[in-house]
Amino acid sequence: MAARLDDLRIALAEISDLGRARALLAWDERTKMPPAGAEARAEQLATLARIRHQRLVSDELDRLLDQAATETSGLPYESDEASLVRVARREWEKARRVPAELRGEITRASSLAEHSWVEAKQRSDFPSFLPHLERNVELKRRYAACLEGFDDFEHTYDPLLDDFEPGMRTAEVAAVLSDLRSGIQPLVAELADRSSAIDDAFLHGHFPRDAQARLAREVVEALPLEEDAWRLDPTVHPFATAIAPSDIRITTRFDERYVGTALWAVIHEAGHGLYENGIARELRRSPLARPVSLGFHESQSRMWENWVGRGRPFVGWLHPRLRRIFPEQFGVVDPETLHRAANKVQPSLIRVEADQVTYNLHIMMRFELEVELFEGRLELADLPEAWNARIADLLGIQVPDDARGVLQDVHWAAGSFGYFPTYSLGNVIAAQIWDAVRESLPDLDGQIASGEFAPLRDWLREHLYRHGAKFMPKEMLERLVGRPIDVAPYLRQLRERTAEIYGV
Amino acid sequence: MAARLDDLRIALAEISDLGRARALLAWDERTKMPPAGAEARAEQLATLARIRHQRLVSDELDRLLDQAATETSGLPYESDEASLVRVARREWEKARRVPAELRGEITRASSLAEHSWVEAKQRSDFPSFLPHLERNVELKRRYAACLEGFDDFEHTYDPLLDDFEPGMRTAEVAAVLSDLRSGIQPLVAELADRSSAIDDAFLHGHFPRDAQARLAREVVEALPLEEDAWRLDPTVHPFATAIAPSDIRITTRFDERYVGTALWAVIHEAGHGLYENGIARELRRSPLARPVSLGFHESQSRMWENWVGRGRPFVGWLHPRLRRIFPEQFGVVDPETLHRAANKVQPSLIRVEADQVTYNLHIMMRFELEVELFEGRLELADLPEAWNARIADLLGIQVPDDARGVLQDVHWAAGSFGYFPTYSLGNVIAAQIWDAVRESLPDLDGQIASGEFAPLRDWLREHLYRHGAKFMPKEMLERLVGRPIDVAPYLRQLRERTAEIYGV
């Protein structure tokens, strides 16, 4: 048996290597590549995507999977071997329906679109970006059409969502987001008049880039990532990626007028990194060596950013460090004031800078726009107008230009339709996990306050990270917290946090 | 015809993309990768090498090449189409003899060996590196055995050499190096007592890394590389690589005690970059989109480093810049003194820091050691001793430790046996080309003195760079200078330069 299973492992390891190579090319494209390299890079990325796809959908892999399925049929569901065959088979089934040419073209087009987006955003010029966006949507429509009927997909958006949140359906996401909206909109209304009482002026001002870079590095170094297994680079739109579980690339951007971006965004990306870094060594070079889903991935980035990073214990730990690097701005700010500022709720334009409460409203409107686009109820040319109308409606603010509106995020340029809702799913899942963590680690606050982050990481490793993608998101959540997805813990925790801050 | 040729072009473009992706992974490994990523990176590189190899040796490519050969048979030898078929066919013939597994294993082993070498060099610990070196040599022996009989290879070292200098044979290289030795050894003896008269103390001292980095950047920015098409990064062992002709990666290292390393090594690497950057757009994503050979590649790095970079006109241009960045060290140094120091001939331990004359002695002894190793006349365990004996014999100096001896170069760690002689071939070829350049550009000195490097680049582009690898090295040299390889111009130019400096 071992010999046959080894053949499967080797074939899957090559597919994994091709995916990781592609990840490195994408990381380089966004952090290091000279601009003139863009055209060649798009071709290189497309070739890797195409070849990976060809290997993934091959008859040879089909045969290896069949043999391995027979051989592993007696093993427990949660064994590495049975999980490998199960997860790889689902991936094969899905990929098999998509032509390699289309797979490559999606990659090529989105690589070019991203460069167009960077320039369009700089000039706040949506029309110049529109043809790229149209191409991305057209290709994703064709992609979704290929997957019609797979795994009981019902909605045209289901296949897109499934790429990020396997097994989750459009209707389920809509229900979760609707529950969230019911809980959040009253909270936002309640806090509307109280935000002016919270002083966060000291987070704004002038923060030299070099000093911010030192701060960001110091914060990431304090987090429990494996030594010598990560690096931190500046970029336009922050992201994290894993070239291997022991080769984590965190990126961030620095806004010299606002220190919050580099500070909490870098913890967010490090949270992604901690998850990838914690995947069991035994799963490396396999399709199991990745997080369960984007929702789970985001649950961890958001947990480290918000539950840890904006919590009172962490803010207490952070305070002397901030004060040392920026003595002028933080000289007279006490930890309590910093904590209140870090959790101020106030509608704003930019998703990645939004507070924890209104953040979800940013996600809801993006999800609705995506669904309407793919249902054919909204034209791409009308997107800026629709965007601005919804921001006015949901958040009560006017969008001054497309750079701070429809062009603010990289996702649509990157062809990542179906990604946005995973941010709110991540919030909801993070809250459910946080309840479980707190029950298991009674001294968590004390540990965080003294900069001991390893116990939290170890708990998350043991219960979540090490399993990689062995389980579907719904299975994983049941295993972790014994319940299906539920917005109640998140809404309760948001109310607890705002009560701390606002006293309501 | 066009349609069939297009199929070949597409197949070769994918093979090219895989090679470029691998180049990026290798660049990242040497400049950016967190150390813990090494093991996974070796696997990723091996997978890309194996898949590239599989595509290159496929029956499908054989068929496409046959069809294209028929279709292009009426085209001129130097046409892009006929050249593509001819060059790709030779590559297919050669690769076809080598199993993909071996190709992948060579890549994997050398990636791991390079990491071992970095550590071994730091500790000057040859024994810890020896097993990796043994593995590299064993794999290259197997590789050479696969190619026995190809293209009338006679010597066991011929296949290794052919990978870097297509069509060149061990006996020819030995003859060129022997001619060089006959001309150089008397020159070194003549100058032996005169070097103490040349003051280069101001190149040594303390040169802060940041200031050196500024200098290096300023120098590369002044060279005529395409804008937005290159970047410069620090590394352990400097190299240049092209992720595409419009995506050039130059690397350098900084020795805070000696400014010459960063200064002339960076011009050297930029010279490599200028060549890659000048390859015709029409050849991109094909096997023609690379320099003729390593010898030609080195002819350009060395031409920009030494013929341009250490010439009186360039030194005059450089002088005020050096003075501005290092006022303390260069305040009292005049251009003539700097010129003499830049061309001082003095036997030394480190190849990459050697002067233009003794440099070739470093190459000769490496070539001899490699040939003896592959002929089985020298054991790897005896390499340090053999190294030290020859350095004493050729250069009259004692090697204090292996870090400054046998461990100084990355090549053997990287599995690049057959590479070293191309440095001296490069010197010889550069001299032949330089004679032709000077005849065509009578105002070259004046242009260089005023920082106008574009006319030189344009001449080299027109006559050399744009052709990529369309011709074999011998053909290219005939086309360029109308003669076969000949050490006379190099020896004459060395004597002219030393006469300027030493007045002999």
Side-chain angles (χ1 to χ4, degrees):
Chain A
M1 161 178 145
R4 296 262 181 101
L5 201 58
D6 274 352
D7 288 344
L8 176 65
R9 280 206 185 92
I10 291 169
L12 292 174
E14 286 202 343
I15 292 169
S16 167
D17 288 340
L18 286 164
R20 301 292 193 176
R22 195 185 135 190
L24 184 75
L25 266 67
W27 170 83
D28 178 80
E29 183 178 25
R30 290 169 169 184
T31 57
K32 305 292 172 197
M33 187 185 75
E39 206 181 307
R41 181 57 49 87
E43 299 293 350
Q44 292 156 1
L45 284 164
T47 292
L48 289 182
R50 213 163 38 236
I51 293 175
R52 181 184 176 280
H53 190 84
Q54 284 161 356
R55 301 220 154 205
L56 179 58
V57 302
S58 67
D59 294 337
E60 168 69 7
L61 192 66
D62 188 24
R63 197 179 55 75
L64 290 170
L65 282 166
D66 267 350
Q67 288 176 355
T70 315
E71 290 163 9
T72 57
S73 62
L75 295 175
Y77 183 87
E78 63 273 18
S79 68
D80 288 355
E81 294 78 8
S83 301
L84 183 71
V85 175
R86 190 175 63 242
V87 169
R89 173 54 84 186
R90 188 178 196 269
E91 209 178 326
W92 184 90
E93 289 282 0
K94 217 174 147 183
R96 180 77 163 188
R97 290 167 160 81
V98 182
E101 284 313 311
L102 178 58
R103 184 77 270 174
E105 184 53 23
I106 286 172
T107 303
R108 206 182 69 87
S110 63
S111 171
L112 295 174
E114 230 183 281
H115 291 280
S116 159
W117 167 76
V118 169
E119 286 174 25
K121 185 179 173 182
Q122 270 162 10
R123 299 193 313 268
S124 196
D125 176 8
F126 181 79
S128 76
F129 174 58
L130 182 58
H132 287 282
L133 190 55
E134 279 169 346
R135 179 74 178 145
N136 277 358
V137 169
E138 179 211 329
L139 290 168
K140 277 296 167 106
R141 267 190 218 287
R142 281 168 51 194
Y143 176 75
C146 295
L147 287 165
E148 218 169 287
F150 174 73
D151 212 9
D152 302 324
F153 284 156
E154 288 169 359
H155 192 280
T156 177
Y157 188 77
D158 280 352
L160 306 180
L161 186 60
D162 193 86
D163 281 352
F164 301 103
E165 206 60 25
M168 194 86 175
R169 297 289 172 263
T170 308
E172 293 174 282
V173 172
V176 170
L177 292 182
S178 166
D179 288 351
L180 263 189
R181 182 194 289 241
S182 310
I184 279 173
Q185 278 195 319
L187 185 59
V188 174
E190 256 175 79
L191 303 178
D193 301 331
R194 298 170 182 266
S195 284
S196 54
I198 299 209
D199 175 20
D200 65 347
F202 50 84
L203 294 176
H204 301 265
H206 181 68
F207 300 87
R209 195 189 152 92
D210 283 358
Q212 287 198 52
R214 278 207 310 283
L215 173 67
R217 175 155 300 277
E218 194 171 329
V219 168
V220 180
E221 272 169 0
L223 294 175
L225 282 161
E226 182 193 339
E227 211 187 321
D228 282 342
W230 59 275
R231 53 176 292 135
L232 172 63
D233 295 272
T235 190
V236 174
H237 193 98
F239 65 99
T241 190
I243 313 307
S246 53
D247 183 354
I248 304 294
R249 311 289 171 110
I250 300 167
T251 69
T252 194
R253 67 192 176 95
F254 301 105
D255 178 348
E256 291 208 314
R257 292 158 309 170
Y258 175 59
V259 74
T261 307
L263 181 52
W264 284 291
V266 89
I267 303 176
H268 178 100
E269 302 305 341
H272 282 305
L274 282 160
Y275 194 165
E276 301 261 9
N277 190 218
I279 292 168
R281 180 165 278 276
E282 297 70 38
L283 305 183
R284 292 183 182 189
R285 296 184 77 219
S286 89
L288 304 181
R290 63 176 182 230
V292 179
S293 69
L294 257 291
F296 270 89
H297 222 321
E298 289 299 330
S299 84
Q300 293 312 296
S301 55
R302 306 193 73 73
M303 177 179 291
W304 286 94
E305 174 192 356
N306 293 327
W307 277 259
V308 177
R310 297 182 201 267
R312 196 176 261 131
F314 185 87
V315 168
W317 173 87
L318 180 66
H319 181 260
R321 288 163 176 82
L322 258 178
R323 205 171 201 164
R324 173 163 42 72
I325 296 181
F326 299 110
E328 216 172 291
Q329 291 91 337
F330 290 96
V332 297
V333 176
D334 64 23
E336 194 50 38
T337 309
L338 178 60
H339 180 233
R340 283 162 60 88
N343 290 281
K344 182 175 181 175
V345 176
Q346 186 160 45
S348 62
L349 284 169
I350 307 296
R351 177 184 61 84
V352 294
E353 294 170 9
D355 62 79
Q356 295 172 76
V357 178
T358 59
Y359 186 91
N360 300 287
L361 303 176
H362 288 271
I363 296 306
M364 281 165 206
M365 60 86 83
R366 284 162 176 76
F367 170 70
E368 287 169 10
L369 291 173
E370 286 190 350
V371 170
E372 288 169 31
L373 278 172
F374 280 88
E375 284 180 347
R377 291 190 289 128
L378 177 65
E379 293 296 317
L380 281 166
D382 300 332
L383 202 51
E385 202 182 324
W387 180 286
N388 298 351
R390 279 170 221 225
I391 289 289
D393 177 42
L394 273 174
L395 296 165
I397 43 180
Q398 295 304 314
V399 177
D401 51 45
D402 289 338
R404 282 172 282 183
V406 69
L407 286 175
Q408 70 180 257
D409 289 314
V410 71
H411 301 64
W412 293 341
S416 300
F417 303 96
Y419 188 125
F420 278 125
T422 68
Y423 289 111
S424 280
L425 296 177
N427 278 333
V428 173
I429 294 167
Q432 293 184 267
I433 298 175
W434 193 247
D435 278 350
V437 170
R438 293 199 73 86
E439 215 175 292
S440 300
L441 300 177
D443 191 32
L444 183 60
D445 282 353
Q447 288 160 348
I448 293 176
S450 58
E452 269 179 68
F453 306 113
L456 172 59
R457 186 229 19 219
D458 291 345
W459 190 95
L460 292 165
R461 266 204 179 172
E462 175 60 24
H463 295 87
L464 173 60
Y465 300 169
R466 71 181 174 93
H467 298 299
K470 281 168 72 171
F471 307 112
M472 291 285 276
K474 286 173 191 172
E475 296 171 332
M476 190 72 236
L477 196 60
E478 280 285 351
R479 281 175 175 266
L480 250 172
V481 304
R483 292 180 46 82
I485 194 162
D486 176 9
V487 302
Y490 181 48
L491 291 174
R492 192 196 76 242
Q493 291 170 19
L494 278 185
R495 288 213 162 256
E496 284 167 4
R497 181 73 64 97
T498 48
E500 276 187 274
I501 305 300
Y502 288 88
V504 291
Chain B
M1 163 178 144
R4 295 263 180 100
L5 201 58
D6 274 353
D7 288 344
L8 176 65
R9 281 207 184 91
I10 290 169
L12 292 173
E14 286 202 344
I15 292 169
S16 167
D17 288 340
L18 285 164
R20 301 292 193 176
R22 194 185 136 187
L24 184 75
L25 266 69
W27 170 85
D28 178 80
E29 182 178 25
R30 290 169 170 184
T31 56
K32 305 293 171 195
M33 187 184 76
E39 207 183 306
R41 181 57 49 86
E43 299 293 349
Q44 293 156 2
L45 284 165
T47 293
L48 289 181
R50 214 163 37 235
I51 293 176
R52 181 184 176 280
H53 190 84
Q54 284 162 356
R55 301 219 154 204
L56 179 58
V57 303
S58 67
D59 294 336
E60 168 70 6
L61 192 66
D62 188 25
R63 197 180 54 75
L64 290 170
L65 283 166
D66 268 350
Q67 288 176 356
T70 315
E71 290 163 12
T72 57
S73 61
L75 295 175
Y77 183 87
E78 63 272 19
S79 68
D80 289 354
E81 293 78 9
S83 301
L84 182 71
V85 175
R86 190 175 64 243
V87 170
R89 172 54 84 185
R90 189 179 195 269
E91 209 178 325
W92 184 90
E93 289 282 0
K94 215 173 148 183
R96 179 77 163 189
R97 289 166 160 81
V98 181
E101 283 313 311
L102 178 58
R103 185 74 272 173
E105 184 53 23
I106 287 171
T107 303
R108 205 182 70 85
S110 62
S111 170
L112 294 173
E114 232 184 281
H115 290 281
S116 159
W117 166 76
V118 170
E119 285 175 25
K121 186 179 173 182
Q122 271 163 8
R123 298 192 313 268
S124 196
D125 176 9
F126 182 79
S128 76
F129 174 57
L130 182 58
H132 287 281
L133 190 55
E134 280 170 345
R135 178 74 177 144
N136 278 357
V137 169
E138 179 211 329
L139 290 168
K140 277 296 167 107
R141 267 190 218 286
R142 280 167 53 194
Y143 176 76
C146 295
L147 287 164
E148 218 168 287
F150 174 74
D151 212 8
D152 302 324
F153 285 156
E154 287 168 1
H155 193 281
T156 178
Y157 187 78
D158 281 352
L160 305 179
L161 186 60
D162 193 86
D163 281 352
F164 301 103
E165 205 60 24
M168 194 87 174
R169 297 289 172 262
T170 308
E172 294 173 282
V173 172
V176 170
L177 293 182
S178 165
D179 288 350
L180 263 188
R181 181 193 289 241
S182 309
I184 281 175
Q185 279 195 318
L187 186 59
V188 173
E190 257 175 79
L191 302 179
D193 301 330
R194 298 170 183 266
S195 283
S196 54
I198 298 209
D199 175 22
D200 66 347
F202 50 85
L203 295 175
H204 301 265
H206 181 69
F207 300 87
R209 197 189 150 92
D210 283 358
Q212 287 200 54
R214 279 206 310 282
L215 173 66
R217 175 155 300 278
E218 195 172 330
V219 168
V220 181
E221 273 169 0
L223 295 174
L225 282 161
E226 182 193 340
E227 210 188 320
D228 283 341
W230 59 275
R231 54 176 292 135
L232 172 63
D233 295 272
T235 189
V236 174
H237 194 98
F239 66 99
T241 189
I243 314 306
S246 53
D247 183 354
I248 304 295
R249 310 289 170 111
I250 300 167
T251 69
T252 194
R253 67 192 177 95
F254 301 105
D255 178 348
E256 291 207 315
R257 293 157 309 170
Y258 174 59
V259 74
T261 307
L263 181 51
W264 284 291
V266 88
I267 302 176
H268 178 101
E269 302 305 341
H272 282 304
L274 282 160
Y275 194 167
E276 300 262 9
N277 189 218
I279 292 169
R281 180 165 279 275
E282 297 71 39
L283 304 183
R284 292 183 182 188
R285 296 184 76 219
S286 91
L288 304 181
R290 61 174 182 231
V292 179
S293 70
L294 257 291
F296 271 89
H297 222 321
E298 289 299 330
S299 83
Q300 293 313 295
S301 54
R302 305 193 73 72
M303 177 179 291
W304 286 94
E305 174 192 356
N306 293 328
W307 278 260
V308 178
R310 297 182 200 267
R312 195 176 260 129
F314 186 87
V315 167
W317 173 87
L318 180 66
H319 181 260
R321 288 164 175 81
L322 259 178
R323 205 169 200 165
R324 173 163 42 73
I325 296 182
F326 299 109
E328 217 170 291
Q329 290 91 337
F330 291 95
V332 296
V333 176
D334 63 22
E336 195 48 40
T337 309
L338 178 60
H339 181 232
R340 282 162 59 89
N343 292 281
K344 181 174 183 175
V345 176
Q346 187 162 44
S348 63
L349 284 170
I350 308 295
R351 176 185 60 85
V352 295
E353 293 170 10
D355 62 79
Q356 295 172 75
V357 180
T358 60
Y359 186 92
N360 300 286
L361 302 176
H362 289 271
I363 296 305
M364 281 164 206
M365 59 85 83
R366 284 162 175 77
F367 169 70
E368 287 169 10
L369 290 173
E370 287 189 350
V371 170
E372 289 168 31
L373 278 173
F374 280 89
E375 283 179 348
R377 291 191 289 128
L378 177 65
E379 293 297 316
L380 281 166
D382 299 332
L383 202 51
E385 203 183 325
W387 181 287
N388 298 350
R390 278 169 223 225
I391 289 289
D393 177 41
L394 274 174
L395 296 164
I397 43 180
Q398 296 303 314
V399 178
D401 52 45
D402 290 338
R404 282 171 283 183
V406 69
L407 287 174
Q408 70 181 257
D409 289 314
V410 71
H411 302 63
W412 293 341
S416 299
F417 303 95
Y419 188 125
F420 279 124
T422 68
Y423 290 110
S424 281
L425 296 178
N427 278 333
V428 173
I429 295 167
Q432 293 184 266
I433 298 175
W434 193 247
D435 278 350
V437 171
R438 294 200 74 86
E439 216 175 290
S440 300
L441 300 177
D443 191 30
L444 183 60
D445 283 352
Q447 288 160 348
I448 292 176
S450 59
E452 270 179 65
F453 306 112
L456 172 59
R457 186 228 20 217
D458 291 345
W459 190 95
L460 292 164
R461 265 203 181 171
E462 175 59 24
H463 295 87
L464 175 60
Y465 300 169
R466 71 180 175 93
H467 298 299
K470 280 167 74 169
F471 307 111
M472 291 286 275
K474 287 173 190 171
E475 296 170 332
M476 190 71 236
L477 196 60
E478 280 287 349
R479 283 176 173 266
L480 249 172
V481 304
R483 291 179 46 83
I485 194 161
D486 176 9
V487 302
Y490 180 50
L491 292 174
R492 190 196 77 242
Q493 291 171 19
L494 278 185
R495 288 213 162 258
E496 284 167 6
R497 180 74 62 99
T498 48
E500 276 187 275
I501 304 300
Y502 288 87
V504 290

